[in-house]
């Protein structure tokens, strides 16, 4: 019975490798709906690219690396199931994830099954604030990143900021940071910033009633924070432009979600995307290291699109994990964790290392080096790497 | 402030017209076949995908793609009817009501997953009907929405004409009122069922195709509009086409204004999709014949 | 074939399945054990739906919403009011049963598609409300719920818990359906008016069916909350998930509890087993659902088993009475497809 099961399981998983020949690394990402499959696929491509390169250069500890990427569908229980599947296969560590709610379920499995886990692109503070021994993060914590975005809002001197927020871990997390930062500190002119927000389901397709309401507000809002990802983010940009609300001379449009960096943004919003403001963790002006140049050109050549922040994080996650394994000279989870606490990897996004400070709580095992860059599209169809840099001002050429 | 209300009303009217196209199809099916098509939202979805691929792969003009897409969905509807719903009229199927609910629901699940597997989960955007925005004084209206409203009105007028003035319409109405009597005077009820189902899902397909450039298309786009068309046919009185049109526009307005005047404005949008279903629940409880008092049709 | 013979086969099959079910943790590794646990959870939901739909003819789409209400009630009481987990669990079941009572009372006048429409509306309202009231429920951010047994390092206790819960629930449902109440339920489905004319108190038994079915959905929901540890409204009560439960029950056989349970287990295991083909597996389930409805209204697995069992009895002259291969391939991974 048992033998039969093992054969069935091996067939079902399409994988039969013995631990002696390979080092097995797991990946988790949303590859199908209701998850953000666009981002998930991009992360998967980047992970595969990193593994192929490492293997071409001789693998790690003299062995080849095998990567298994599991689909989490953006659902917590699927994520925890995926982590368990990976643990059963005998992976030595896991990288990836995009949705914070899913990552929250996954870190519990990482803890329970002693799996070193580098979170690539889930931002909720709580993920590192739980201070689990096996959990590390390259993606910025919401607090780390959006404090800087709030600095920009205050530095420009916006006074009436409105936000449409998707009711997800990520959306509400961003909203929480902005509410706190803008509510407690004045803008550059010493004025109080008025911050109001509306929360909505991700399934909403007609935002026009609320946008009309913003248009009727007196004084008219000077900045709209579009805290949505995917379809909703595109629809808000489109519908705000259609009713003549933003981007206009009176009101700016800030598309906060990562989807604003994808080529699909232009396919979907067309001319309405002109002068939309967005953010990224990476911009060539931060300094184009050879690593970045190489990564971007390789990724473009291989997959025909410009990689975003998420791809770079996933790519760096794999390299960082492998480097830690190399340092530890072992695949024992505790040795890998000890190595991860000391590792310094010169990656695409910068030198990756993990803080061991416990204050603020989310800083634990967090890469503190993430930059927040605010950019604005100045031409229709522009690549985000060519968009106008607005912040940090100090970097302006 | 008046401008604001007017803008909201115009938006609500246009959204209501889109709902109407779908709901009228659902209502027509109910009035003739006496079943609720639980796959209606998914027929709307395949309409969207048909016209998207017609326009982007085969180079159809976007508006032509809507009509060809509608015909495509009609063909799917005819297939569904002939293969899966026809047993309803034979004694072979026990408990026809249960069969109809489960079967149409199952068809919906199948279509949705098929679309997901074939087209991927990604949101797609069909080409504009007419790009740009029309300014009417202080009103800004997206041209695509104007086209949706215009084409929607035309389709509905044609439908009302067919049902009200032509022989086919009379035959359809006869079957919906009394199958046996209709059969006696020489109307083939099964053929009328086929016709009603084909037209009904075709209308849903047209709505999905029209909405593409406005709200974008994806395999799950049909779930909420499907639920909303259920709301509408109950509000309007099951099987009443006139009632469905009025109720659609009402729902469009309620959603547009309701989410703005919600007690806690930060959550108005979060509850937006609940307004309709709440109305549905209330109407079913207190006035199951619908707001406009049409005859209450009971399933056998 | 004799009634008695069939009963004997049934009993034997039940014992084999029981033994297999008890042995599962020794056969399956942690991940497949998780699959089995979720399979049993679905089995409970599918049988709760069958009790209402298959036996009483009330086509409700609210099963998942009721499970969700129970899950959130229990989770919130444990987190915010520091109830013990068993206390929260019981309150959750009570809440689901109470809401079931309300629905039952409200929908008395509605039948067929109207009931289906009402329960769809109810499910959507529940889901939207739980999402919108994120300050309390944390909505899609995910509510972290204390685990039933402290953690999930060891899944075996969870497995035996849900197995015990399912066995107890099925026994209760079976006893209920065997009693005169079961007969009343069925008479409502067959012909409501005739049943009323014969003196069956339609109102009482319809409501009773709703309450009982809702309570069992609540049991499932409560277990789920304290097993997965992170609750989001969408992961319990999306409409497509309700569709999955209905597909399970229909594929198994809508007219029997055993059918619903076997359908749930088979679909759940196939869903895992066919992971490699991605979304296509759901296309296959959808197609199976349609074809089974079209050609075998009473489902596939249970009628198949009945025929098999019947044949075994007929072929009794064989030297040894071979038991039918496990009719629930789900329970035994070696059992293969039905």
């Amino acid at each position: 019975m048992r033998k039969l099961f093992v054969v069935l399981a091996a067939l079902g998983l399409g994988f039969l490798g013995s631990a002696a020949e390979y080092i097995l690394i797991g990946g988790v990402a949303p590859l199908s709906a209701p998850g953000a499959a666009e981002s998930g696929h991009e992360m998967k491509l980047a992970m595969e690219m990193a593994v192929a390169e490492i293997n071409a250069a001789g693998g790690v500890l003299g062995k080849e690396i095998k990567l298994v990427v599991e689909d989490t569908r953006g659902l917590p229980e699927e994520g925890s199931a995926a982590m368990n599947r990976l643990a059963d296969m005998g992976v030595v560590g896991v990288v990836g994830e995009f949705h914070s709610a899913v990552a929250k379920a996954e870190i519990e499995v990482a803890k329970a099954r002693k799996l070193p886990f580098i979170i690539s692109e889930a931002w909720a503070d709580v993920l590192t604030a739980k201070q689990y021994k096996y959990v590390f993060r390259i993606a910025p914590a919401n607090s780390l990143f959006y404090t800087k975005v709030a600095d920009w809002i205050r530095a420009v001197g916006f006074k009436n900021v409105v936000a449409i927020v998707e009711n997800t871990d990520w959306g509400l997390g961003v909203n929480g940071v902005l509410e706190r930062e803008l509510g407690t500190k004045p803008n550059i002119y010493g004025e109080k910033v008025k911050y109001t927000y509306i929360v909505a389901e991700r399934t909403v397709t007609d935002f026009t009633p609320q946008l009309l309401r913003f248009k009727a507000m007196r004084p008219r809002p000077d900045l709209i924070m579009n805290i949505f990802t995917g379809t909703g983010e595109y629809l808000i940009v489109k519908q705000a432009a259609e009713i003549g609300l933003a981007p206009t001379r009176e009101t700016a449009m800030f598309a906060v979600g990562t989807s604003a960096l994808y080529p699909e943004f232009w396919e979907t919003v067309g001319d309405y995307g002109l002068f939309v403001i967005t953010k990224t963790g990476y911009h060539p002006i931060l300094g184009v290291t050879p690593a970045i140049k190489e990564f971007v050109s390789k990724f473009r050549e291989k997959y025909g699109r410009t990689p975003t922040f998420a791809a770079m994080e996933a790519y760096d996650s794999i390299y960082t994990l492998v480097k830690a394994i190399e340092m530890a000279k072992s695949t024992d989870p505790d040795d890998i964790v000890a190595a991860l606490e000391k590792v310094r990897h010169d990656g695409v996004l910068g030198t990756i290392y993990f803080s061991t400070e416990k204050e603020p709580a989310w800083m634990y095992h967090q890469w503190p080096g993430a930059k927040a860059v605010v950019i604005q599209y100045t031409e229709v169809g522009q690549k985000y790497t060519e968009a106008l840099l607005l912040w940090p001002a100090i970097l302006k050429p | 402030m008046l401008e604001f209300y007017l803008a909201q009303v115009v938006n609500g009217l246009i959204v209501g017209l889109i709902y109407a196209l779908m709901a009228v199809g659902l209502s027509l099916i109910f009035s003739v076949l006496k079943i609720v098509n639980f796959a209606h939202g998914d027929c709307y979805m395949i309409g969207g995908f048909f016209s998207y691929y017609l326009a982007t792969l085969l180079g159809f003009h976007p508006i032509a793609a809507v009509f060809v897409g509608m015909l495509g969905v009609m063909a799917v509807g005819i297939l569904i009817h002939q293969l899966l719903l026809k047993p309803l009229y034979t004694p072979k199927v026990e408990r026809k009501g249960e069969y109809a609910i489960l079967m149409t629901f199952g068809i919906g699940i199948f279509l949705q997953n098929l679309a997901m597997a074939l087209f991927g989960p990604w949101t797609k955007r069909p080409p504009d009907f007419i790009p740009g925005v029309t300014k009417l004084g202080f009103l800004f209206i997206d041209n695509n929405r104007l086209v949706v409203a215009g084409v929607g009105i035309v389709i509905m007028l044609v439908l009302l004409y067919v049902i009200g003035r032509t022989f086919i319409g009379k035959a359809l109405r006869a079957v919906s009122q009394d199958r046996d009597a209709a059969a006696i005077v020489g109307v083939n009820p099964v053929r009328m069922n086929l016709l009603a189902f084909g037209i009904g899902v075709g209308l849903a397909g047209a709505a999905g195709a029209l909405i593409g450039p406005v709200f974008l298309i994806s395999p799950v786009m049909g779930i909420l509009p499907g639920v909303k068309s259920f709301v509408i046919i109950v509000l309007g009185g099951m099987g009443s086409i006139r009632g469905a049109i009025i109720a659609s526009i009402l729902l469009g307005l309620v959603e547009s204004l309701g989410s703005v005047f919600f007690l806690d404005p930060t959550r108005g949008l979060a509850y937006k999709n609940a307004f309709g279903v709440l109305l549905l629940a209330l109407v079913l409880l207190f006035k199951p014949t619908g707001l406009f008092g049409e005859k209450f049709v009971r399933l056998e | 074939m004799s009634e008695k013979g069939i009963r004997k086969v049934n009993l034997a099959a039940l014992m084999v399945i029981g033994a297999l079910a008890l042995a599962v943790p020794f056969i399956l590794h942690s991940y497949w054990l998780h699959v089995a646990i979720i399979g049993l959870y679905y089995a409970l939901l599918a049988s709760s739906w069958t009790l209402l739909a298959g036996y009483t003819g009330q086509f409700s789409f609210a099963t998942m919403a009721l499970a969700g209400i129970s899950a959130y009630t229990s989770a919130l009481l444990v987190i915010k009011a520091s109830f013990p987990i068993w206390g929260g669990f019981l309150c959750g079941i009570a809440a689901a049963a109470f809401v079931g009572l309300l629905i039952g009372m409200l929908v008395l006048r509605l039948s067929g598609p109207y009931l289906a429409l009402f329960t769809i509306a109810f499910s959507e309202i529940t889901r939207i409300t739980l999402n919108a009231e994120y300050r309390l429920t944390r909505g899609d951010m995910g509510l972290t719920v204390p685990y039933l047994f402290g953690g999930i390092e060891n899944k075996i206790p969870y497995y035996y818990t849900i197995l015990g819960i399912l066995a107890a629930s099925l026994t209760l449902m079976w006893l209920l359906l065997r009693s005169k109440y079961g007969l009343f339920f069925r008479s409502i489905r067959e012909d409501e008016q005739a049943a009323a004319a014969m003196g069956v108190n339609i109102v009482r038994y319809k409501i009773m069916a709703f309450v009982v079915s809702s309570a069992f959905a609540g049991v499932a929901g409560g277990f789920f909350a304290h097993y997965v540890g992170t609750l989001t409204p969408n992961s319990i009560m999306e409409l497509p998930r309700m569709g999955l439960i209905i597909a399970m029950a229909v594929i198994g056989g809508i007219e029997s509890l055993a059918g619903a349970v076997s359908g749930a287990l088979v679909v759940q295991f196939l869903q895992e087993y066919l992971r490699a083909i991605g979304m296509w597996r759901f296309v296959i389930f959808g197609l199976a659902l349609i074809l089974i409805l079209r050609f075998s209204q009473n489902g596939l697995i249970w009628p198949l088993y009945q025929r098999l069992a019947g044949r075994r009895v007929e072929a009794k002259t064989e030297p040894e009475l071979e038991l039918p291969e496990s009719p629930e391939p789900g329970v035994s991974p070696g059992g293969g497809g039905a």
Side-chain angles (χ1 to χ4, degrees):
Chain A
M1 180 61 76
R2 193 178 178 127
K3 204 180 273 170
L4 188 58
F5 163 70
V6 171
V7 173
L8 281 177
L11 284 174
L13 302 167
F15 173 78
L16 219 166
S18 89
E21 296 163 49
Y22 303 110
I23 286 185
L24 198 56
I25 291 181
V28 280
L31 301 177
S32 60
E38 294 96 329
S39 302
H41 277 283
E42 196 192 11
M43 290 166 68
K44 181 173 177 239
L45 295 177
M47 290 181 208
E48 285 167 353
M49 203 169 112
V51 168
E53 287 171 17
I54 295 169
N55 283 337
V60 63
L61 305 182
K63 289 178 190 171
E64 200 181 316
I65 298 173
K66 265 208 158 187
L67 174 75
V68 184
V69 182
E70 291 286 326
D71 180 11
T72 66
R73 300 185 58 216
L75 299 171
E77 77 279 9
E78 288 274 337
S80 108
M83 288 291 273
N84 274 310
R85 261 195 321 273
L86 290 169
D88 284 356
M89 286 180 214
V91 298
V92 301
V94 181
V95 304
E97 196 46 63
F98 180 86
H99 297 281
S100 296
V102 183
K104 228 165 86 189
E106 287 165 350
I107 59 173
E108 297 299 328
V109 183
K111 178 182 170 220
R113 309 213 38 189
K114 297 196 174 24
L115 274 180
F117 179 27
I118 302 181
I119 301 172
S120 301
E121 173 59 4
W123 293 38
D125 287 359
V126 64
L127 298 174
T128 41
K130 287 212 166 178
Q131 306 196 342
Y132 285 167
K133 179 179 166 191
Y134 296 96
V135 177
F136 295 79
R137 171 159 61 185
I138 288 185
N142 270 335
S143 288
L144 178 69
F145 194 94
Y146 288 101
T147 312
K148 296 176 186 173
V149 172
D151 287 345
W152 170 75
I153 293 173
R154 290 187 295 109
V156 175
F158 288 115
K159 258 189 343 200
N160 286 289
V161 182
V162 291
I164 301 192
V165 183
E166 67 171 42
N167 64 353
T168 62
D169 50 276
W170 170 79
L172 292 166
V174 173
N175 184 52
V177 176
L178 292 180
E179 198 182 7
R180 186 182 72 215
E181 289 293 312
L182 297 176
T184 51
K185 297 175 196 161
N187 71 9
I188 195 166
Y189 305 117
E191 298 160 324
K192 201 175 148 23
V193 183
K194 196 169 158 247
Y195 182 76
T196 39
Y197 62 92
I198 285 171
V199 177
E201 278 251 283
R202 267 177 77 188
T203 49
V204 171
T205 49
D206 190 13
F207 298 90
T208 315
Q210 266 58 35
L211 295 169
L212 284 170
R213 193 162 147 251
F214 291 158
K215 202 181 168 192
M217 277 166 85
R218 292 293 174 271
R220 194 161 142 175
D222 41 26
L223 174 66
I224 296 174
M225 298 298 285
N226 169 357
I227 311 181
F228 257 72
T229 50
T231 312
E233 185 175 12
Y234 299 157
L235 285 172
I236 292 172
V237 168
K238 199 164 159 281
Q239 290 167 6
E242 279 164 8
I243 60 163
L245 168 64
T248 52
R249 274 167 55 196
E250 297 87 357
T251 311
M253 164 65 68
F254 194 136
V256 181
T258 317
S259 322
L261 304 177
Y262 292 139
E264 286 81 6
F265 175 76
W266 292 108
E267 280 165 31
T268 312
V269 305
D271 296 352
Y272 297 139
L274 189 60
F275 301 125
V276 166
I277 298 166
T278 184
K279 56 94 232 238
T280 166
Y282 158 76
H283 191 277
I285 205 134
L286 295 173
V288 183
T289 61
I292 292 182
K293 227 179 185 168
E294 210 187 316
F295 174 74
V296 173
S297 71
K298 267 187 306 194
F299 196 92
R300 267 199 206 140
E301 191 188 313
K302 211 163 173 182
Y303 307 117
R305 57 188 289 158
T306 304
T308 67
F309 195 43
M312 297 176 193
E313 288 166 326
Y315 183 83
D316 279 350
S317 302
I318 293 272
Y319 265 103
T320 309
L321 179 64
V322 170
K323 188 152 187 189
I325 295 171
E326 187 123 18
M327 277 171 67
K329 294 193 177 54
S330 133
T331 53
D332 178 79
D334 293 310
D335 295 346
I336 294 178
V337 166
L340 278 171
E341 288 188 345
K342 284 193 228 89
V343 79
R344 290 185 80 82
H345 166 65
D346 289 319
V348 174
L349 291 168
T351 300
I352 308 289
Y353 63 97
F354 298 104
S355 159
T356 46
E357 276 171 42
K358 295 199 164 184
E359 195 57 45
W362 50 261
M363 192 48 111
Y364 188 68
H365 284 183
Q366 166 77 43
W367 177 49
K371 312 257 190 332
V373 183
V374 179
I375 53 176
Q376 183 170 33
Y377 289 119
T378 50
E379 268 172 51
V380 174
Q382 202 168 34
K383 287 197 184 88
Y384 80 90
T385 44
E386 285 149 19
L388 177 70
L389 182 85
L390 299 180
W391 182 260
I394 195 119
L395 288 169
K396 273 195 180 171
Chain B
M1 234 21 208
L2 184 69
E3 300 166 14
F4 169 62
Y5 292 121
L6 241 152
Q8 292 288 7
V9 168
V10 168
N11 183 57
L13 282 176
I14 293 176
V15 173
L17 268 169
I18 296 163
Y19 291 159
L21 261 187
M22 258 192 106
V24 164
L26 191 63
S27 201
L28 180 67
I29 293 172
F30 186 82
S31 78
V32 177
L33 280 81
K34 310 287 181 261
I35 65 170
V36 174
N37 175 22
F38 285 95
H40 211 60
D42 303 287
C43 295
Y44 166 91
M45 179 268 299
I46 55 174
F49 275 98
F50 277 175
S51 73
Y52 170 78
Y53 283 110
L54 285 168
T56 54
L57 289 184
L58 303 179
F60 277 64
H61 184 275
I63 294 185
V66 169
F67 287 99
V68 181
M70 178 169 100
L71 292 176
V73 179
M74 273 184 188
V76 172
I78 287 171
L79 213 65
I80 290 174
H81 180 271
Q82 295 305 87
L83 294 178
L84 302 170
L85 297 182
K86 242 182 158 177
L88 272 175
Y89 323 127
T90 64
K92 235 177 71 191
V93 174
E94 301 166 34
R95 304 193 186 88
K96 298 185 163 48
E98 294 177 9
Y99 178 84
I101 294 174
L102 288 177
M103 184 53 98
T104 54
F105 191 74
I107 294 167
I109 295 179
F110 173 70
L111 288 177
Q112 199 184 108
N113 287 315
L114 186 67
M116 199 87 90
L118 280 178
F119 310 132
W122 296 280
T123 302
K124 295 187 169 59
R125 181 181 192 213
D128 283 315
F129 296 124
I130 304 172
V133 173
T134 299
K135 286 179 198 148
L136 295 168
F138 53 84
L139 278 179
F140 286 67
I141 305 174
D142 169 28
N143 286 339
N144 288 320
R145 290 190 193 217
L146 287 176
V147 172
V148 170
V151 175
I153 290 174
V154 169
I155 293 179
M156 246 166 334
L157 287 177
V158 170
L159 181 80
L160 287 177
Y161 173 80
V162 169
I163 289 184
R165 304 282 153 137
T166 63
F167 177 75
I168 293 177
K170 270 185 201 152
L172 280 173
R173 276 181 292 150
V175 173
S176 91
Q177 279 156 15
D178 190 334
R179 297 183 78 78
D180 299 334
I184 290 167
V185 297
V187 178
N188 180 348
V190 174
R191 196 167 297 160
M192 287 304 125
N193 285 348
L194 173 65
L195 193 66
F197 196 79
I199 296 177
V201 300
L203 287 171
L210 278 171
I211 211 63
V214 181
F215 291 156
L216 316 182
I217 60 171
S218 74
V220 291
M221 70 188 267
I223 298 180
L224 276 173
V227 172
K228 279 175 191 167
S229 53
F230 301 152
V231 171
I232 289 160
I233 61 163
V234 174
L235 287 183
M238 301 273 274
S240 156
I241 287 175
R242 196 169 42 97
I245 296 175
I246 302 172
S248 302
I249 291 172
L250 198 71
L251 183 67
L253 291 176
V254 165
E255 284 189 350
S256 208
L257 295 169
S259 54
V260 175
F261 293 112
F262 196 68
L263 292 173
D264 174 359
T266 63
R267 274 180 295 178
L269 203 52
Y271 275 110
K272 179 174 173 178
N273 290 320
F275 297 142
V277 275
L278 194 64
L279 266 177
L280 167 81
L282 292 176
V283 169
L284 275 177
L285 292 176
F286 298 110
K287 203 167 181 306
T289 51
L291 292 177
F292 311 108
E294 298 274 329
K295 209 176 83 197
F296 183 63
V297 197
R298 220 188 123 90
L299 204 78
E300 48 190 301
Chain C
M1 64 186 121
S2 68
E3 270 291 303
K4 220 172 165 187
I6 289 188
R7 203 170 296 154
K8 224 163 144 189
V9 175
N10 280 346
L11 201 68
L14 196 66
M15 276 163 65
V16 171
I17 291 166
L20 267 176
L22 285 173
V24 159
F26 301 100
I27 307 170
L28 296 186
H29 297 290
S30 72
Y31 175 66
W32 283 87
L33 196 56
H34 167 76
V35 174
I37 292 170
I38 296 293
L40 294 173
Y41 158 75
Y42 282 146
L44 183 51
L45 288 164
S47 46
S48 136
W49 184 77
T50 293
L51 179 78
L52 195 55
Y55 283 87
T56 324
Q58 305 297 305
F59 279 72
S60 162
F61 286 72
T63 306
M64 294 313 284
L66 289 158
I69 286 173
S70 164
Y72 271 94
T73 306
S74 177
L76 288 173
L77 284 176
V78 171
I79 296 166
K80 309 266 172 188
S82 30
F83 272 48
I85 289 181
W86 62 265
F89 189 63
L90 291 179
C91 291
I93 297 169
F98 179 69
V99 176
L101 174 78
L102 290 183
I103 296 180
M105 281 165 34
L106 291 174
V107 299
L108 277 176
R109 289 194 299 163
L110 305 176
S111 63
Y114 291 89
L115 175 67
L117 292 175
F118 177 84
T119 47
I120 286 180
F122 172 78
S123 305
E124 277 297 285
I125 294 174
T126 312
R127 190 184 64 78
I128 291 170
T129 308
L130 285 172
N131 262 324
E133 296 301 326
Y134 62 89
R135 286 187 186 88
L136 179 67
T137 63
R138 295 194 43 84
D140 196 40
M141 291 184 282
L143 184 67
T144 306
V145 186
Y147 291 110
L148 192 53
F149 298 107
I152 45 164
E153 285 82 355
N154 183 3
K155 292 206 160 58
I156 295 175
Y158 292 97
Y159 176 80
Y160 284 116
T161 307
I162 185 71
L163 186 66
I165 289 176
L166 180 67
S169 305
L170 285 176
T171 312
L172 283 174
M173 285 190 229
W174 183 69
L175 287 173
L176 179 76
L177 292 171
R178 253 179 98 234
S179 71
K180 60 175 182 179
Y181 301 113
L183 224 58
F184 295 152
F185 286 177
R186 255 175 272 204
S187 70
I188 295 177
R189 183 189 186 197
E190 294 303 332
D191 190 338
E192 202 171 301
Q193 269 129 27
M198 284 165 65
V200 177
N201 187 341
I202 296 287
V203 172
R204 184 189 297 166
Y205 296 114
K206 231 181 179 176
I207 293 177
M208 187 167 154
F210 267 100
V211 173
V212 173
S213 162
S214 307
F216 285 116
V219 173
F223 172 81
F224 184 76
H226 297 287
Y227 168 64
V228 296
T230 307
L231 278 185
T232 62
N234 296 340
S235 70
I236 308 187
M237 47 178 89
E238 278 183 321
L239 276 181
R241 202 156 295 236
M242 187 67 225
L244 184 67
I245 297 290
I246 292 178
M248 286 169 165
V250 170
I251 290 172
I254 186 179
E255 308 213 330
S256 79
L257 294 175
V261 171
S262 53
L265 294 175
V266 169
V267 171
Q268 164 72 358
F269 269 82
L270 282 179
Q271 176 180 325
E272 279 305 317
Y273 185 69
L274 298 177
R275 200 167 261 282
I277 59 168
M279 283 311 293
W280 286 103
R281 63 194 197 273
F282 296 106
V283 179
I284 295 173
F285 295 146
L287 194 64
L289 176 62
I290 294 173
L291 291 178
I292 288 170
L293 277 170
R294 174 70 178 79
F295 297 108
S296 166
Q297 249 191 308
N298 291 336
L300 188 64
I301 298 167
W302 184 244
L304 207 70
Y305 163 75
Q306 281 179 316
R307 277 182 64 180
L308 264 174
R311 245 189 236 143
R312 294 293 178 199
V313 175
E314 275 168 17
K316 219 178 171 182
T317 42
E318 280 174 32
E320 206 180 341
L321 179 71
E322 218 179 295
L323 285 169
E325 256 188 75
S326 164
E328 295 172 55
V331 172
S332 70

